[in-house]
Amino acid sequence: MTYPSSLKDSIRPFDSMTLIHPSACLAVSAKWYEFPQKFEWLAKKGFALEYTPDIHNLDSIPKQIDPFLSRGIRVRYHAFFPGYEIGNTHAHKAEDAMNLHFRMIDLIEGRGEQVVTVHVGLTPDIETDKHRTTENLGRLVQYGKQKGITVSLENLKKGPTKNPETVLNLAEQTGASITVDIGHAVSCMDDGNCNFKIFRMIELFAPHIIEVHYYEKETNRHHAPTDMTILGPIVDRLRTTKCRWWTIELESHTEIIKTQDLLFDYLVSTRKLGEQTVTSFRDRTVSTCPKRV
């Protein structure tokens, strides 16, 4: 993949996330097949990594991640495993899915941020069983705890976890944390599939939110915001929570930078900072996400 020349040598001159909280971190999704080019580009820009491994080669995790961890780049994990449903109505297939998740947890133990986001109902044509889903998610949460790893459940655009109450019930019954995917929630409402308001969802999830997936809408791909009309009020609600990790889930390097800039400018404007303060912020050269030392 080539990089826009206007972005190639520029470093974002401000850690916008400090306007949410001094320890807040801005990451970008980094999938296994984008290694190493996108990983290096993100590291140069000061972003943390939200890493999705190769479902067919989990053993590549150390090779792809360790070089960045050694440089202080912060990493969290995204268990995007389509076709592998932990609540599958077929017990042996559900167990195959569990073993895949267990293997990933084993491999990320001690590597970077000890948080992994998982899914329920990721493959719509696979029927799931409510009881088995709850039982197996609980097993994942407990296994993660034994390893010092937090398991977080993501809300989806379709399937059982499009319903905030289902996500909340699963979190409360199993001890899982919650990853709020803004694009999934907005798209679910826009498509008429969900009868809820995203602000109510955030209110319900607030005590459990550990991560945010940040983009505006999902069709056959993720879409970046063009302004903050939709995302602005959502950002306002989310920054009242204890969530300190925000992941921009976009592929285009231009859209990643534009999305970061929109978020930065919105945070500055809503904090009503004086012009002198804003100028001093922009003159600083600091990373988007502080490195681990």
Side-chain angles (χ1 to χ4, degrees), residues 105-208:
I105 289 173
D106 288 342
L107 286 165
I108 68 176
E109 181 184 3
R111 287 189 163 91
E113 304 282 323
Q114 298 292 273
V115 177
V116 58
T117 293
V118 302
H119 310 82
V120 167
L122 189 60
T123 308
D125 58 351
I126 296 179
E127 186 178 355
T128 57
D129 176 81
K130 182 178 179 180
H131 175 74
R132 180 169 290 146
T133 295
T134 304
E135 180 181 12
N136 282 348
L137 180 60
R139 289 171 61 198
L140 282 183
V141 170
Q142 292 305 312
Y143 191 75
K145 284 183 178 180
Q146 293 172 17
K147 304 279 187 173
I149 294 169
T150 298
V151 173
S152 186
L153 178 64
E154 178 179 340
N155 64 291
L156 298 179
K157 178 184 175 182
K158 298 179 180 180
T161 54
K162 74 179 183 183
N163 186 331
E165 291 184 355
T166 299
V167 175
L168 181 62
N169 288 337
L170 283 169
E172 291 181 339
Q173 291 179 56
T174 66
S177 295
I178 295 177
T179 295
V180 174
D181 190 298
I182 297 174
H184 287 163
V186 170
S187 301
C188 188
M189 290 184 291
D190 286 351
D191 294 345
N193 293 323
C194 302
N195 185 23
F196 67 86
K197 298 295 185 182
I198 190 169
F199 306 116
R200 175 57 177 161
M201 184 183 82
I202 294 170
E203 180 183 345
L204 288 173
F205 290 176
H208 308 280

Side-chain angles (χ1 to χ4, degrees), residues 267-285:
L267 291 172
V268 169
S269 66
T270 53
R271 285 296 181 94
K272 297 181 174 59
L273 299 175
E275 181 61 32
Q276 182 177 0
T277 305
V278 173
T279 301
S280 68
F281 282 156
R282 291 188 182 277
D283 286 342
R284 293 172 61 193
T285 301

